Amino acid sequence: MLSIVKQIVSQPNIAVDLGTANTRIYASELNKTTEEPSLIRQINSNHDDRTSDEYISYLNSMLFSTPLHGGVIVDVKNAVTLLRPLVKRSTKGWRHPISLACAPTDTSDKERRLLAEAVLKAGASHVAIIPEVWAAAVGAGLDVGLPFAQALIDIGHGVTDLAVIRDGRLIHASAVRTACSDLQKAVRSAVIAMHKVSLYPWEVERLTNEMPAMSQPPAYPGKLIAADGIDIFKRCKVTIEVSNKCVISAMEPVVNRILKMIEFGLKKLPENIFREIFSSGICLTGGGACIEGIDRLIASRTNLMVRIVPDPIHSVINGAIQTLNRWKGKENWWENIAWPKLPS
């Protein structure tokens, strides 16, 4: 009976990974992770929007809003609408949960306040925020307390983050709000311009992830990839053959922006820190790690060893879970979490 009462009155803890593409919430009380796309539908899902015009039906299915852009909240109201049912499903009992949330390293104080506001309005009682790359490093299995520098690159949907961790501290971070969503947008636009076909989102993601030629010599032969979409003139579903060279050409400017951030961030490091990273290499996490050949491309531009971690898509939430469980039971732990002051 006492254990049941304790469960009812004890304050639950949750970890929140509010991402540009997907939102994940872990409930320590339930030992369960809930994941949903970070989208707010503009048409009631119960509404039958099928019409005789396949193109109009496709457009209706794409009518949604995204509360986040570039890894940060741009619409607090819709962010709360997204989070509230997930927070509710992640708790039992009547007490509001304490939340550990994650944010990119380049977020401003205002952007982190908006994140805290959204999580609080969604039902949390307290919010502590840690850098996403720190959570990703823990989730990737790095021993963040080691006395030598370790580098991690997290390529998410909205932001690419580079971090260097040493002696349990985040000693350097660089970020650019260019990531997988920009790559997919570039590919989608290129295919529309060339074929007058709007590819389905899952097809765009598949094409974006098939980029092995980007780390190959220019003489690498091209290939055609079949993909489905809606012909914007015929207004019906079609299957087309997209050249991988078309995909690569669309992606290259975006990839180069990401690579320039990585190169510039590494050049800013003191020589002794860079030597330590040269020995340990770079750990790659996030959805961008699923892009074929991206590890070889980063390695060729940095002359560093690059390895993709197991389950890179869930590194952030897995690290947030481990961090939350480490602090679980410590009184008022959320009051002692301060955003790290990084060297300029």
Side-chain angles (χ1 to χ4, degrees):
M1 177 63 73
L2 287 176
S3 64
I4 294 174
V5 172
K6 186 177 180 180
Q7 287 180 7
I8 294 173
V9 300
S10 63
Q11 195 151 23
N13 294 268
I14 61 172
V16 178
D17 175 16
L18 180 57
T20 307
N22 292 286
T23 295
R24 304 173 180 97
I25 295 184
Y26 166 79
S28 62
E29 192 180 24
L30 305 174
N31 192 26
K32 175 184 176 183
T33 300
T34 303
E35 180 174 349
E36 294 286 349
S38 300
L39 303 173
I40 303 296
R41 287 293 305 269
Q42 298 302 306
I43 293 181
N44 192 315
S45 58
N46 295 323
H47 175 68
D48 187 358
D49 58 1
R50 292 171 297 178
T51 71
S52 58
D53 190 319
E54 288 184 276
Y55 184 56
I56 296 299
S57 180
Y58 168 71
L59 291 179
N60 286 342
S61 71
M62 298 296 289
L63 288 176
F64 52 76
S65 61
T66 54
L68 288 92
H69 181 73
V72 297
I73 291 176
V74 293
D75 184 340
V76 173
K77 181 180 178 181
N78 272 330
V80 174
T81 300
L82 171 69
L83 286 168
R84 184 176 286 127
L86 295 178
V87 171
K88 187 174 182 180
R89 281 157 51 189
S90 300
T91 56
K92 58 182 179 179
W94 54 272
R95 298 200 70 181
H96 295 289
I98 300 163
S99 172
L100 175 69
C102 305
T105 57
D106 69 337
T107 49
S108 64
D109 290 340
K110 179 181 178 181
E111 288 168 332
R112 292 195 293 275
R113 283 198 301 271
L114 289 177
L115 172 59
E117 178 186 343
V119 178
L120 287 169
K121 287 183 176 179
S125 61
H126 304 280
V127 180
I129 300 174
I130 62 172
E132 283 182 350
V133 281
W134 180 273
V138 173
L142 294 185
D143 183 351
V144 294
L146 291 177
F148 58 84
Q150 300 175 89
L152 179 135
I153 298 170
D154 183 63
I155 307 176
H157 199 69
V159 63
T160 300
D161 234 329
L162 162 68
V164 179
I165 297 170
R166 190 176 191 266
D167 290 320
R169 295 186 301 114
L170 190 60
I171 63 172
H172 172 81
S174 299
V176 61
R177 296 190 184 184
T178 302
C180 293
S181 62
D182 302 279
L183 291 167
Q184 293 169 14
K185 181 179 178 181
V187 171
R188 184 184 299 108
S189 298
V191 172
I192 289 175
M194 180 170 290
H195 298 278
K196 304 301 182 285
V197 170
S198 179
L199 294 179
Y200 296 129
W202 54 89
E203 292 284 53
V204 175
E205 182 176 3
R206 180 174 65 87
L207 288 179
T208 304
N209 288 350
E210 294 182 5
M211 57 163 280
M214 288 198 72
S215 56
Q216 301 292 336
Y220 183 84
K223 67 176 181 179
L224 296 176
I225 307 170
D228 296 332
I230 296 291
D231 189 303
I232 60 178
F233 289 128
K234 296 178 181 177
R235 308 172 81 87
C236 62
K237 177 182 175 180
V238 294
T239 300
I240 59 173
E241 290 190 323
V242 180
S243 165
N244 72 325
K245 290 187 175 182
C246 169
V247 175
I248 292 165
S249 178
M251 292 175 65
E252 275 182 338
V254 181
V255 171
N256 282 331
R257 290 201 295 274
I258 294 173
L259 292 174
K260 284 180 180 177
M261 181 278 290
I262 295 170
E263 289 176 306
F264 182 72
L266 293 173
K267 285 179 181 177
K268 290 174 64 177
L269 296 174
E271 188 176 339
N272 64 312
I273 297 296
F274 185 82
R275 282 200 303 268
E276 292 177 0
I277 292 174
F278 188 82
S279 299
S280 59
I282 295 174
C283 186
L284 190 60
T285 64
C290 299
I291 299 173
E292 188 176 348
I294 192 69
D295 55 334
R296 297 190 298 273
L297 191 58
I298 295 173
S300 68
R301 291 286 287 267
T302 62
N303 293 316
L304 295 172
M305 176 183 64
V306 179
R307 67 179 182 90
I308 300 172
V309 306
D311 194 15
I313 293 177
H314 295 96
S315 292
V316 171
I317 189 62
N318 288 341
I321 291 169
Q322 292 179 50
T323 304
L324 185 69
N325 288 336
R326 189 179 307 129
W327 290 334
K328 185 179 177 182
K330 294 184 179 180
E331 187 175 358
N332 297 341
W333 60 261
W334 59 91
E335 295 178 357
N336 300 316
I337 308 304
W339 191 263
K341 291 183 179 179
L342 297 170
S344 57

